[in-house]
Amino acid sequence: MQISVIGCGRWGSFLAWYLNGIGHQITLYGRESSRKFTELRKTGTNGLVTLDEKMNLTSDLGAALKSQILVISIGAQSFRSLMEQLSSRDLAGKTVVLCMKGLEAGTGKRLTQIFEEYRPDTPVAVWVGPGHVQDFTRGIPNCMVIDSRSMQVKKELVNAFSSDLIRFYYGDDLIGNEIGAASKNVIGIAAGMLDGLNKTALKGALMSRGTREIARLIRKMGGNEITAYGLAHLGDYEATVFSPYSHNRRFGEAFVRGEDYGELAEGVATTKAMLTLGRQYQAELPISDAVNRVINQGEEPNRVLSDLFLRSIKMEF
Amino acid sequence: MQISVIGCGRWGSFLAWYLNGIGHQITLYGRESSRKFTELRKTGTNGLVTLDEKMNLTSDLGAALKSQILVISIGAQSFRSLMEQLSSRDLAGKTVVLCMKGLEAGTGKRLTQIFEEYRPDTPVAVWVGPGHVQDFTRGIPNCMVIDSRSMQVKKELVNAFSSDLIRFYYGDDLIGNEIGAASKNVIGIAAGMLDGLNKTALKGALMSRGTREIARLIRKMGGNEITAYGLAHLGDYEATVFSPYSHNRRFGEAFVRGEDYGELAEGVATTKAMLTLGRQYQAELPISDAVNRVINQGEEPNRVLSDLFLRSIKMEF
């Protein structure tokens, strides 16, 4: 099939490489001004994947929009501005797949909600779940999830995207899968903080309480709480809570050690979105709240995290 | 309080050291014939903890049974034989705490069930959840769970055992906490197998599917499925699925690499018990089954584990 990947960052470039490798015709789109686009155009590689000659690398959005399937993988906070660009385009007959893990910081909105504000006419799906580019390119397989309101869209995409490297499961809870996929980055920051404070052993308790927190929120939002325990959230903890590659974990670790990390991890914006959702749905989110207090309010991390796990004796559930 | 710890292995010796350190009067019991008892009597240490002079190390079971609280920490497969010895003893006014993670291999019975077969007159509790001796002795805190049919017993024990090092939560599902605590060792073996096969990235999917498998079994047994996501099971994955200290994880890793591990991990017996429970409660247990096929039936691990995670496309739940 003709597939365009919108976004040529680490993950977008990988998606293009992967989909090309399983036989699709790929257009990879990046902004002319982006450093990563320039690097790819100049060298044909980003150090993780090397673009195949067959692939079409372009900064012409119109050219990218000709494919049947559009896979979008950009920073979640830039998604609305992309949708503004897509709002007036002809997308007839196309399917859009969002392969991103985030929420709009200011509003707490899920990305398919933003998509449907602009393009209620176009079928949209999400592609979430575990996996690091560094593992996939070494041939280490993983399981991921495709979710959409439409069973037909899910089937079409699972058939088109499956391989020995990535085995897809059908999701059945768009709210749960989007919230779960985004919020695992917040849990990842908390995990990094525990690592940085020499409290790695508490990552067990973090997993138990983190999944509960997200399950409760998903239920209050009208999703299925069990989705928090699926591939998109708990299933992504190996890659987030434990992996040396996880940006969010490393960001949390560097933060509590007072080291400069260079850039904000995606989970920082997601933390803001989570607090918005917590207020909106009256859900208690103690871990998201703790991450926010440490990162945005300058509270002392050791005290905040000790309070979170070790203060009061209570019933487990 | 006067507390006796029955069992002077790695975990029993730690419990004695910990309870002594928070101010209790401790008797530590081991069998005269045991290597660990001999080592402790000769050197006063097992390399992880050093016994305090105040502690009473004994091989006289009668002396150990004088304390108000008896904490039992022996191999789960030896528990019935200990209970036979305890069946005729005077335990009036005593509380028994089982700090062990296992099930009876032949019957699938939980340890409190075996306890109550012999001593229905004596209150019994379980002490489960994450934590490695190696972390605790370095001062790294963790959260654990006390569960019992009796709220009064739980309160008494949580008050007596709590400290800055171990924060206790009240459990409310003895079935779920016992099954969860024991079965995490089976998941730990599976995790080690993935590590040994260079499929570490699949530990995310393992966590997601492992918790589901145990949750389903707990529900079928009459417990609360959510307990699988609590400290006793998911909360113990950091220490089991990821830790370099985990015997079960290391056993699984060594097994698939064809290396000698010296002894069987506790999870091997638990795997047998799980299959018994699966038949008894008609619960599908694909991960326990896969571990059994590799360890006990000589099936090829790479094929068994690939089949488990990567074969068929299906709904996630």
Side-chain angles (χ1 to χ4, degrees):
Chain A
M1 295 174 99
Q2 290 192 313
I3 302 178
S4 289
V5 178
I6 313 279
C8 66
R10 193 170 48 123
W11 194 248
S13 302
F14 162 73
L15 296 174
W17 173 87
Y18 168 74
L19 294 168
N20 175 76
I22 63 172
H24 297 292
Q25 281 178 269
I26 303 301
T27 298
L28 175 59
Y29 165 84
R31 282 171 300 119
E32 189 72 37
S33 59
S34 102
R35 194 176 47 76
K36 291 187 173 171
F37 179 78
T38 310
E39 183 190 7
L40 283 172
R41 194 166 50 182
K42 205 182 280 177
T43 67
T45 179
N46 63 3
L48 287 167
V49 295
T50 299
L51 303 187
D52 189 288
E53 292 180 345
K54 299 198 307 283
M55 288 163 58
N56 174 27
L57 179 67
T58 184
S59 60
D60 174 357
L61 187 59
L65 296 183
K66 286 182 181 144
S67 299
Q68 294 164 260
I69 296 182
L70 309 177
V71 178
I72 301 179
S73 179
I74 62 173
Q77 306 315 314
S78 310
F79 184 60
R80 185 177 290 278
S81 121
L82 175 68
M83 286 312 301
E84 278 160 10
Q85 292 179 68
L86 295 186
S87 62
S88 55
R89 302 282 189 151
D90 176 16
L91 300 180
K94 298 189 192 304
T95 298
V96 173
V97 185
L98 309 181
C99 197
M100 308 147 74
K101 295 169 182 173
L103 298 167
E104 194 173 47
T107 63
K109 282 187 178 164
R110 294 177 288 117
L111 303 181
T112 63
Q113 284 183 296
I114 297 173
F115 184 88
E116 289 174 347
E117 283 177 26
Y118 293 88
R119 297 308 302 239
D121 57 326
T122 305
V124 64
V126 299
W127 172 353
V128 293
H132 275 291
V133 173
Q134 292 91 331
D135 284 332
F136 283 134
T137 53
R138 287 157 60 215
I140 299 174
N142 222 320
C143 310
M144 300 184 82
V145 177
I146 297 279
D147 206 346
S148 166
R149 293 180 198 279
S150 156
M151 191 64 206
Q152 189 194 326
V153 164
K154 286 191 279 197
K155 280 194 174 155
E156 176 193 55
L157 294 173
V158 167
N159 286 336
F161 292 173
S162 289
S163 73
D164 285 346
L165 193 61
I166 304 183
R167 190 51 44 124
F168 287 96
Y169 287 70
Y170 295 110
D172 193 27
D173 177 16
L174 209 43
I175 293 174
N177 277 316
E178 288 190 84
I179 295 294
S183 62
K184 64 99 194 177
N185 285 334
V186 179
I187 308 299
I189 294 176
M193 290 179 173
L194 290 174
D195 286 333
L197 295 168
N198 196 27
K199 287 186 161 60
T200 294
L202 282 173
K203 293 206 289 194
L206 174 69
M207 291 201 283
S208 179
R209 296 195 43 190
T211 48
R212 280 312 298 152
E213 172 165 326
I214 304 311
R216 270 197 314 264
L217 175 63
I218 289 171
R219 190 183 59 216
K220 290 208 171 192
M221 291 177 71
N224 180 353
E225 67 180 303
I226 214 72
T227 307
Y229 304 107
L231 287 166
H233 187 74
L234 174 58
D236 212 352
Y237 278 11
E238 185 277 329
T240 308
V241 172
F242 294 96
S243 170
Y245 304 134
S246 164
H247 276 305
N248 290 282
R249 196 201 58 73
R250 284 162 57 202
F251 172 82
E253 186 170 10
F255 192 94
V256 300
R257 289 190 169 148
E259 296 163 6
D260 187 22
Y261 189 70
E263 52 175 346
L264 287 183
E266 179 84 54
V268 174
T270 310
T271 302
K272 284 184 202 157
M274 291 294 286
L275 296 185
T276 303
L277 290 172
R279 283 188 297 273
Q280 209 172 325
Y281 292 95
Q282 303 187 325
E284 276 186 53
L285 304 172
I287 296 170
S288 307
D289 186 56
V291 169
N292 179 58
R293 283 191 284 133
V294 171
I295 288 183
N296 295 317
Q297 298 177 8
E299 291 195 31
E300 209 282 297
N302 204 18
R303 195 186 53 70
V304 170
L305 287 161
S306 294
D307 279 2
L308 186 60
F309 290 105
L310 303 171
R311 193 176 45 182
S312 60
I313 296 167
K314 39 192 160 187
M315 297 303 290
E316 215 195 336
F317 294 108
Chain B
M1 296 176 99
Q2 291 192 310
I3 302 178
S4 289
V5 177
I6 313 279
C8 66
R10 195 170 47 121
W11 194 247
S13 302
F14 163 72
L15 296 174
W17 172 86
Y18 169 73
L19 294 168
N20 175 74
I22 62 172
H24 297 291
Q25 282 179 267
I26 302 301
T27 297
L28 175 59
Y29 165 85
R31 281 172 299 119
E32 189 72 37
S33 60
S34 102
R35 194 177 46 76
K36 291 185 174 174
F37 179 78
T38 309
E39 183 190 8
L40 282 172
R41 194 166 50 181
K42 206 182 279 177
T43 67
T45 180
N46 63 3
L48 287 167
V49 296
T50 299
L51 303 187
D52 189 286
E53 292 180 346
K54 299 198 307 285
M55 289 163 60
N56 174 28
L57 179 67
T58 184
S59 60
D60 174 357
L61 187 59
L65 297 183
K66 286 182 181 146
S67 300
Q68 294 164 260
I69 296 181
L70 309 177
V71 177
I72 301 179
S73 179
I74 63 173
Q77 306 315 315
S78 309
F79 184 60
R80 185 177 290 278
S81 121
L82 175 68
M83 286 313 301
E84 278 161 10
Q85 291 179 69
L86 295 186
S87 62
S88 55
R89 301 283 187 152
D90 177 14
L91 299 180
K94 298 188 193 305
T95 299
V96 174
V97 185
L98 308 181
C99 197
M100 308 147 71
K101 295 170 181 173
L103 299 167
E104 194 173 46
T107 63
K109 283 188 179 165
R110 294 177 289 117
L111 303 182
T112 62
Q113 285 182 297
I114 297 173
F115 184 88
E116 289 174 345
E117 284 177 24
Y118 293 88
R119 298 307 304 239
D121 57 327
T122 304
V124 63
V126 299
W127 173 353
V128 293
H132 275 290
V133 172
Q134 291 91 330
D135 284 332
F136 282 134
T137 53
R138 287 158 59 214
I140 299 174
N142 222 320
C143 310
M144 299 184 82
V145 177
I146 296 279
D147 206 346
S148 166
R149 292 180 200 278
S150 157
M151 190 64 204
Q152 189 194 326
V153 164
K154 285 191 279 199
K155 281 194 174 155
E156 175 193 56
L157 294 173
V158 167
N159 286 336
F161 292 174
S162 289
S163 73
D164 285 346
L165 193 61
I166 304 183
R167 191 51 44 121
F168 286 97
Y169 287 71
Y170 296 110
D172 194 28
D173 177 16
L174 208 44
I175 293 174
N177 277 316
E178 288 191 84
I179 295 295
S183 62
K184 64 101 194 175
N185 285 334
V186 179
I187 309 298
I189 293 176
M193 290 179 174
L194 291 173
D195 286 333
L197 295 168
N198 195 28
K199 288 187 161 61
T200 295
L202 282 172
K203 293 205 290 196
L206 174 68
M207 291 200 283
S208 179
R209 295 193 46 190
T211 48
R212 281 310 300 148
E213 172 165 328
I214 305 310
R216 270 197 315 264
L217 176 63
I218 289 170
R219 190 184 60 216
K220 290 208 171 192
M221 292 177 71
N224 180 352
E225 66 180 305
I226 214 71
T227 306
Y229 305 108
L231 288 167
H233 187 74
L234 174 58
D236 211 353
Y237 278 12
E238 185 278 329
T240 307
V241 172
F242 294 96
S243 170
Y245 304 134
S246 164
H247 275 305
N248 291 283
R249 196 200 59 72
R250 284 162 57 204
F251 172 81
E253 186 170 10
F255 192 95
V256 299
R257 289 191 170 147
E259 295 162 7
D260 187 21
Y261 190 69
E263 51 175 347
L264 288 184
E266 178 82 55
V268 175
T270 310
T271 302
K272 283 185 203 156
M274 291 294 286
L275 295 186
T276 304
L277 291 173
R279 283 189 296 271
Q280 207 171 326
Y281 292 95
Q282 303 187 326
E284 276 187 53
L285 304 171
I287 296 170
S288 307
D289 186 55
V291 169
N292 179 59
R293 283 190 286 132
V294 171
I295 288 182
N296 296 316
Q297 299 176 8
E299 292 195 29
E300 210 280 299
N302 203 18
R303 195 186 54 69
V304 170
L305 288 161
S306 294
D307 279 1
L308 186 59
F309 290 106
L310 304 169
R311 193 175 46 181
S312 60
I313 295 167
K314 40 191 159 184
M315 297 302 291
E316 214 193 338
F317 293 110

